[in-house]
Amino acid sequence: MTGGRGVAPTMLAMDLGKTGARVRWRRGEQAEEVEVAGAVGLSGRDGVAQVVEALRTARRALGQGTDRPDVLAVGLVGYRAAAPLVGPLAGALVEEVADVVLLTGDLTTTYVGALGTRPGVVVAAGTGAVALGLDGTGRSVVHDGWGYLLGDDGSGYAIGRAGLRAALEYRDGRGGSCALERAARARFGDLAGLPSTIQSAEHPARLVASFAPDVAAAAREGHEVAVRIWRAAGEALAHTAVACRNQLGSDLPICLAGGLTAAEALLSEPFAEVVGETVVAPSGTALDGAEQLAHEAWAGRVDPALAGLVTLARRERATAHADAGQDAPAGSAPTDWTPPESASPDDAPPAIPDAAARESGSPEVIGALATEGVREDLLDLDERHTEDVLRALWEAEATVAPALLGVVPTVAAAVDDIAQRLRGGGRMFYLGAGTPGRLAFVDASELPPTYGTPAELVRALPAGGVEAMVRAREGAEDDGPAGAGMVREAGVGPQDVVVGISASGRTPYVLHGLRAAAEVGALTVAVSNNEGARASTGVDHAIEVPTGPEVISGSTRLKAGTAQKMLLVALSTAVMVRLGKTHGPFMVDMQASNVKLRDRAVRMVQRVSGCGAAEATAALESAGWSTKVAVVQLLGGMPTDQAREALARGDGSVRDALARGDGSVRDAPVQDALAQDGGTR
């Protein structure tokens, strides 16, 4: 395998487990391997630092020094459980170790090492136990792997625990196994202190699993209890494999892999009996799987079957060599290399750095964004009853309002600043692509009839133009210069406001538009659904509403879209309140342009002023169906022209207009009006 320029890349592959890590450094046909201490897992305390330190130790052992491999692939424990940490880890490794970094779970590298990328089911049995199945269409299923407290049936921990229980039972005279009692004393000493030894251990599961080889030794000697323990383990692992296969397809091959297979027939025979057919032998190890993934990452074609199982990131390389007419150094990453499709941990788009990423020099890992995450509890969503699907969708939507309540102070500050700009003659522009662009377009278009605002006061500048509102143009979001061009074409100036909306917080169209607005002194507001979003950098107000993984992975028209809709409606409504477009809960500045709205205007004037329907209708007719003028006219006891003048002096606010009246204002506060019953005081 060679890189983009026909030069064999230097590759570093790592199989990182809890107990130890194996690392292979390949340069052409030469390969070196070392073993170093493992890491508890990415989800453990200081997980990112542990992984980075394990790699540093391995590189020192390999004598790499400051040599930088072209590509690094790591299969690590805790990958699924610590999805939010995958992005920071990928960024750290791209900066420190390699130009191309592929991260995945140790389960994935075990699968690839055992079966490559062909469909099948692989059970990885070590300290823990978990099965991965692929059906060849990109669909994957993971069973067990729930940890030693809730699952990991048939694992090294399960075997060790069963063996130690048998040892303690014999010590108590409750049956058990004399052979295992002797083995336990030989390994742990006085068994009276065994519980406290295990409970105080830094990694109890690892310590208990260390007894599995002793159980295997007793089984080979023919001790019945030990034989039964290994048989039960093989059967448990087989049941996990069969359940995985049944969910995907009955004709898939099954493979048993992992460190526990060193027990050979003790485990493989009962496993095969339950499976009911020949068990495929693994063609390689997890380290082999990591190296294969390194090759695929470098070539830019990670197999689509692995979509949703890997994270891919790269570092942009300087083009000085090309500019000078020189060839790139041997083994250097091709500057036009593009990550393969479906190369993220959560079935999200590939990590293609945009202009903002290139300018900052930091890696872009789209798949690591929380909005691109996968709900592991919904892997069987398509097989659930329709009611369960709807319940899952609406339960997810119910988390949006609490997330919005968490950003009230941030949004309030933005609202006050926006209102000040608009009060001074400025305008507000929404920037968005895809769903955010369409939501912004709807919000902007509904403000004139609702609050009587001129159409130019709030405008949407969607990626792809107005036609994108009826025919999606999703690719338009990557056109950063178009975003800046839209802002300049709209004539955005220092008195104006630009609100950029992006679920990911890294949409080029939005980022460039916000930057262009900031350059002319406009107030800039960024709305995103991820914490630490790129859009939050350099703006006046950064509103981050973390909505997390969607029910349908990556479909940010769901929770993220709901959050955007709710936020935009609240933001624009609060701005209208600050601008005096309402009176209490009444939208007194609406345009009564149809029968329904005229009926609403009559009822509104009745409730606010306390008059009857006939008096309200007459006031509205004399005011040209301006609800606000009619209210001031009735509450202020003044003719229509004077009501208009009072509103003009009060900047359109009913309360200010009444306060500036001639003192004959009727005493009818809104709260009293709300307490009315049938229009009477």
Side-chain angles (χ1 to χ4, degrees):
M1 178 62 67
T2 59
R5 294 180 182 270
V7 179
T10 55
M11 295 189 299
L12 196 62
M14 185 179 203
D15 172 32
L16 180 61
K18 291 184 178 180
T19 303
R22 295 181 301 151
V23 183
R24 181 181 297 159
W25 186 18
R26 183 174 295 281
R27 293 165 293 179
E29 298 300 321
Q30 298 180 345
E32 297 179 59
E33 290 187 19
V34 295
E35 292 191 18
V36 297
V40 178
L42 185 57
S43 59
R45 186 172 59 184
D46 300 326
V48 171
Q50 286 190 39
V51 175
V52 172
E53 183 56 36
L55 269 164
R56 288 173 180 166
T57 302
R59 296 182 69 197
R60 287 194 295 267
L62 289 165
Q64 282 191 348
T66 58
D67 291 350
R68 185 181 178 90
D70 294 313
V71 58
L72 165 69
V74 183
L76 65 156
V77 64
Y79 177 85
R80 285 197 305 153
L85 297 177
V86 172
L89 175 59
L93 297 180
V94 164
E95 288 300 312
E96 180 173 330
V97 181
D99 294 324
V100 179
V101 171
L102 182 145
L103 299 179
T104 189
D106 54 351
L107 174 58
T108 305
T109 52
T110 299
Y111 186 104
V112 174
L115 293 182
T117 57
R118 64 190 176 110
V121 175
V122 172
V123 179
T127 299
V130 61
L132 170 62
L134 301 177
D135 68 357
T137 68
R139 186 182 179 202
S140 63
V141 171
V142 176
H143 282 350
D144 206 347
W146 296 117
Y148 71 95
L149 291 177
L150 299 176
D152 288 354
D153 294 346
S155 65
Y157 167 81
I159 293 169
R161 180 178 184 275
L164 290 175
R165 283 179 59 89
L168 295 175
E169 286 171 353
Y170 182 83
R171 185 178 186 276
D172 289 345
R174 297 182 291 126
S177 166
C178 176
L180 292 177
E181 193 268 348
R182 287 196 306 270
R185 279 191 288 107
R187 180 174 290 273
F188 298 105
D190 185 1
L191 297 185
L194 181 60
S196 61
T197 298
I198 292 174
Q199 291 169 12
S200 62
E202 185 177 2
H203 309 300
R206 185 189 301 175
L207 181 61
V208 172
S210 70
F211 192 57
D214 298 296
V215 182
R220 292 191 182 97
E221 292 173 1
H223 295 286
E224 184 180 353
V225 173
V227 171
R228 287 203 305 266
I229 291 173
W230 275 95
R231 171 166 289 278
E235 292 172 348
L237 292 170
H239 286 306
T240 300
V242 171
C244 206
R245 181 182 63 184
N246 289 345
Q247 191 167 339
L248 292 175
S250 59
D251 59 341
L252 294 177
I254 292 178
C255 175
L256 179 61
L260 217 57
T261 58
E264 298 178 330
L266 288 175
L267 189 70
S268 62
E269 288 183 0
F271 184 88
E273 288 175 12
V274 173
V275 170
E277 60 188 56
T278 302
V279 176
V280 177
S283 60
T285 66
L287 186 59
D288 297 323
E291 183 175 353
Q292 180 176 334
L293 289 172
H295 277 291
E296 294 192 7
W298 178 260
R301 53 170 183 269
V302 174
D303 195 292
L306 301 178
L309 299 177
V310 303
T311 295
L312 186 60
R314 69 160 176 161
R315 176 176 180 156
E316 288 296 316
R317 296 294 297 265
T319 57
H321 295 283
D323 293 340
Q326 304 173 18
D327 291 332
S332 65
T335 57
D336 59 352
W337 185 86
T338 303
E341 296 181 1
S342 303
S344 76
D346 307 312
D347 205 13
I352 304 177
D354 62 11
R358 287 193 292 271
E359 290 167 10
S360 67
S362 60
E364 172 94 273
V365 190
I366 297 176
L369 298 174
T371 48
E372 299 292 336
V374 172
R375 290 271 304 273
E376 297 289 343
D377 59 319
L378 299 177
L379 295 178
D380 62 343
L381 181 69
D382 57 319
E383 297 181 321
R384 296 187 184 185
H385 191 279
T386 303
E387 291 182 1
D388 291 334
V389 173
L390 292 172
R391 189 171 292 108
L393 286 164
W394 286 330
E395 285 176 349
E397 296 290 313
T399 66
V400 172
L404 286 167
L405 289 172
V407 296
V408 166
T410 305
V411 180
V415 166
D416 290 341
D417 281 357
I418 292 170
Q420 183 177 358
R421 294 286 180 112
L422 301 192
R423 209 177 283 119
R427 302 163 297 165
M428 181 162 70
F429 298 89
Y430 288 143
L431 277 174
T435 298
R438 287 184 279 275
L439 291 172
F441 187 84
V442 169
D443 191 69
S445 64
E446 289 180 342
L447 293 177
T450 305
Y451 297 109
T453 60
E456 62 271 13
L457 182 68
V458 179
R459 288 177 51 196
L461 304 177
V466 176
E467 58 269 25
M469 298 301 95
V470 293
R471 185 182 296 274
R473 291 182 57 190
E474 301 301 325
E477 73 170 57
D478 291 327
D479 192 347
M486 287 284 266
V487 167
R488 296 187 185 106
E489 185 179 334
V492 173
Q495 192 58 40
D496 296 325
V497 180
V498 173
V499 180
I501 311 106
S502 166
S504 67
R506 48 78 56 202
T507 304
Y509 178 86
V510 173
L511 296 182
H512 283 249
L514 286 170
R515 188 180 308 153
E519 288 173 355
V520 297
L523 182 73
T524 52
V525 180
V527 177
S528 58
N529 297 100
N530 283 302
E531 294 179 325
R534 287 188 179 276
S536 298
T537 302
V539 295
D540 296 300
H541 296 281
I543 303 172
E544 297 178 348
V545 187
T547 49
E550 300 281 6
V551 170
I552 305 299
S553 177
S555 179
T556 50
R557 60 182 289 268
L558 300 177
K559 277 196 304 180
T562 299
Q564 292 159 9
K565 165 69 173 172
M566 293 175 68
L567 191 142
L568 289 178
V569 167
L571 182 135
S572 60
T573 299
V575 168
M576 293 301 114
V577 171
R578 293 279 73 86
L579 293 179
K581 297 293 184 180
T582 61
H583 186 59
F586 302 107
M587 51 184 203
V588 292
D589 233 341
M590 74 172 186
Q591 297 177 0
S593 55
N594 59 37
V595 173
K596 178 188 71 175
L597 294 178
R598 290 193 175 197
D599 177 76
R600 183 179 294 166
V602 170
R603 288 184 284 109
M604 196 180 302
V605 171
Q606 283 184 263
R607 293 294 301 274
V608 175
S609 67
C611 70
E615 188 178 359
T617 302
L620 283 164
E621 288 177 343
S622 67
W625 285 93
S626 168
T627 308
K628 182 181 287 187
V629 172
V631 167
V632 173
Q633 180 179 329
L634 290 170
L635 288 179
M638 61 184 76
T640 302
D641 291 344
Q642 188 177 340
R644 293 186 191 279
E645 292 173 2
L647 281 167
R649 292 194 301 271
D651 291 329
S653 167
V654 170
R655 293 190 192 278
D656 287 351
L658 294 174
R660 293 168 183 269
D662 60 358
S664 59
V665 179
R666 291 165 57 184
D667 183 16
V670 172
Q671 55 267 38
D672 291 344
L674 289 172
Q676 295 172 22
D677 183 13
T680 62
R681 288 181 179 268

